[in-house]
Amino acid sequence: MPERAGRPFLILTVAFFALLLGSNLPTPLYAVYRERFGFSSVVLTLVFATYMLVLVPTLLLCGQLSDRVGRRRVIAAGLVTAAVGLGLFAAATDTVWLFAARAVQGLSVGMVTGAATAGLVELEPHGDRGRAAFYAVIVQGAGSSAGPLLAGALAQWAPEPRALCYLVALVLALLAAAAVLTIPEPKPAGGRWRVQRPSVPPEIRAGFWRASLTAGTVWMVAALYLSVVPSYAAKLLDTGNLALLGAIAGSLLAASCVTQLIASRRDGAPGAQPLGLALVVAGLVALVLAFPLHSLAALFASALLGGAGHGLAFLGAQADINELAPIERRGEVTGAFISCIYFGVAASAIGVGLISTTLSLRTAVTIFAVAVGATALAAIAWHVSTRIRAPQAAR
């Protein structure tokens, strides 16, 4: 039985927040890099997607690794790796540095995410899996939204706009690594660690895929805001204000956090995923309308609707995974869950970049919105049909 105490849980929560804050700092600066280094929309999305393409296999390897050797070692090593990635960004002088920095960041987040999410469940002081799921989701949303907001503000109003935010996050990552080494952890499962393909126990696969589809869909929308929307908004609104561009990107995940805080007070998990997906569809409609309207208000409305939907849907999906995953395979299952999310995110980010090279930005966003909106509607239908069949099967 893992030792449960408030301090280790808090340390792990703050460390996870610091990691995700640092990984999303480049969001409002992509437009600056694009202008300074002279690369296309495709290169921008490839830089963003490099993070995902490194992160996914790392998650699959380190989810099982943390089950075998313990969460603490894997998480601390990941935070030190994150500091290296932040240092590369601070020193960047051309596009190659950006690819290298994003690859290292993907490695660090892949090392930490599955282990930290599983660790929060094990260290939750009251053994409450639902509360642990809430904290895991709120930290991911809060860290991801704080990154663009902090980077945009420092880049707009502080000295050294392309370095200071990374140096601040670098220090936080190293401090977090040192703190994580002080926390206890349950006895590792042991056994030999080996490379293996993603694996989910057969008895939970239906629920796993349903939750993964929900989470992947809402994170595709979040990824759009964290990658290309700031550049699109700069052209749409004819502005170079990095604080504003960071706020547009960060507002989606800030709204997600607020929604999760409200939803956590209610026992609404069974209906959270379809309702959240419906709000995401509404946000996509507002995003498409923002372009012909040239409206800042419509952009923020799309972000707030999408963020509210993201918060509800992802909270419900994470809670499902925490309930479904066997204790001895929690890190592995969590890693597989997050891998599904990032595969979808990478594919959508690269797709939007490719489309925007031959078609207008408005068309690229519209195609994305239609495709992801259709996926969200399919996921809603799956959730509703499952809820209808459940009482019939129990009879």
Side-chain angles (χ1 to χ4, degrees):
M1 188 76 173
E3 177 183 345
R4 292 190 171 94
R7 183 174 173 273
F9 184 80
L10 178 61
I11 288 174
L12 187 52
T13 300
V14 173
F16 199 13
F17 174 88
L19 174 84
L20 293 165
L21 180 148
S23 70
N24 288 285
L25 288 173
T27 296
L29 298 174
Y30 283 134
V32 175
Y33 293 133
R34 184 178 176 183
E35 180 179 350
R36 181 172 291 269
F37 301 153
F39 54 77
S40 66
S41 297
V42 172
V43 173
L44 186 155
T45 52
L46 287 175
V47 169
F48 182 81
T50 296
Y51 168 82
M52 312 292 178
L53 297 176
V54 174
L55 188 155
V56 170
T58 306
L59 269 170
L60 298 176
L61 295 176
C62 291
Q64 189 195 52
L65 180 63
S66 74
D67 287 336
R68 297 292 178 264
V69 305
R71 316 289 185 210
R72 183 174 61 189
R73 297 176 187 176
V74 173
I75 294 169
L79 288 164
V80 172
T81 304
V84 173
L86 292 164
L88 290 172
F89 263 120
T93 56
D94 59 34
T95 309
V96 174
W97 286 77
L98 302 184
F99 276 105
R102 283 306 271 173
V104 173
Q105 284 193 322
L107 178 64
S108 67
V109 176
M111 293 172 70
V112 173
T113 301
T117 304
L120 287 172
V121 173
E122 293 158 351
L123 293 173
E124 204 287 318
H126 307 291
D128 186 339
R129 291 188 178 188
R131 184 169 178 264
F134 167 69
Y135 271 87
V137 173
I138 203 78
V139 167
Q140 290 178 67
S144 297
S145 63
L149 293 171
L150 175 64
L154 291 179
Q156 185 67 32
W157 295 307
E160 300 296 331
R162 290 185 292 116
L164 181 60
C165 61
Y166 298 118
L167 297 177
V168 171
L170 187 155
V171 172
L172 289 176
L174 292 177
L175 291 174
V180 164
L181 290 174
T182 70
I183 66 175
E185 62 184 347
K187 182 180 178 181
R192 187 177 65 177
W193 174 68
R194 63 188 186 280
V195 177
Q196 64 177 46
R197 63 183 176 83
S199 177
V200 176
E203 63 273 14
I204 69 168
R205 283 179 187 168
F208 173 87
W209 286 117
R210 190 166 54 249
S212 296
L213 179 62
T214 296
T217 299
V218 298
W219 273 106
M220 283 182 193
V221 176
L224 186 73
Y225 280 80
L226 294 172
S227 57
V228 295
V229 163
S231 295
Y232 292 171
K235 292 185 177 182
L236 176 68
L237 303 173
D238 191 24
T239 181
N241 188 310
L242 297 177
L244 175 62
L245 299 180
I248 292 171
S251 61
L252 183 142
L253 291 172
S256 177
C257 291
V258 172
T259 303
Q260 290 159 21
L261 286 169
I262 295 170
S264 68
R265 302 173 186 274
R266 302 173 180 272
D267 187 19
Q273 294 180 71
L275 176 58
L277 288 163
L279 289 172
V280 165
V281 172
L284 290 170
V285 172
L287 179 62
V288 171
L289 293 176
F291 283 81
L293 295 175
H294 293 276
S295 171
L296 175 62
L299 277 176
F300 272 111
S302 73
L304 295 177
L305 283 168
H310 178 280
L312 278 175
F314 189 46
L315 181 65
Q318 184 70 70
D320 274 1
I321 293 298
N322 279 356
E323 288 296 326
L324 290 168
I327 293 175
E328 69 278 5
R329 298 183 65 181
R330 187 176 291 137
E332 185 181 352
V333 171
T334 300
F337 170 65
I338 298 169
S339 297
C340 291
I341 295 172
Y342 283 121
F343 267 126
V345 167
S348 64
I350 294 172
V352 171
L354 290 173
I355 294 169
S356 67
T357 61
T358 56
L359 302 173
S360 67
L361 299 178
R362 175 182 174 183
T363 303
V365 170
T366 300
I367 291 172
F368 171 90
V370 171
V372 177
T375 303
L377 292 174
I380 291 171
W382 192 359
H383 282 290
V384 171
S385 65
T386 300
R387 292 183 66 187
I388 291 173
R389 288 198 304 267
Q392 297 173 345
R395 290 173 187 170

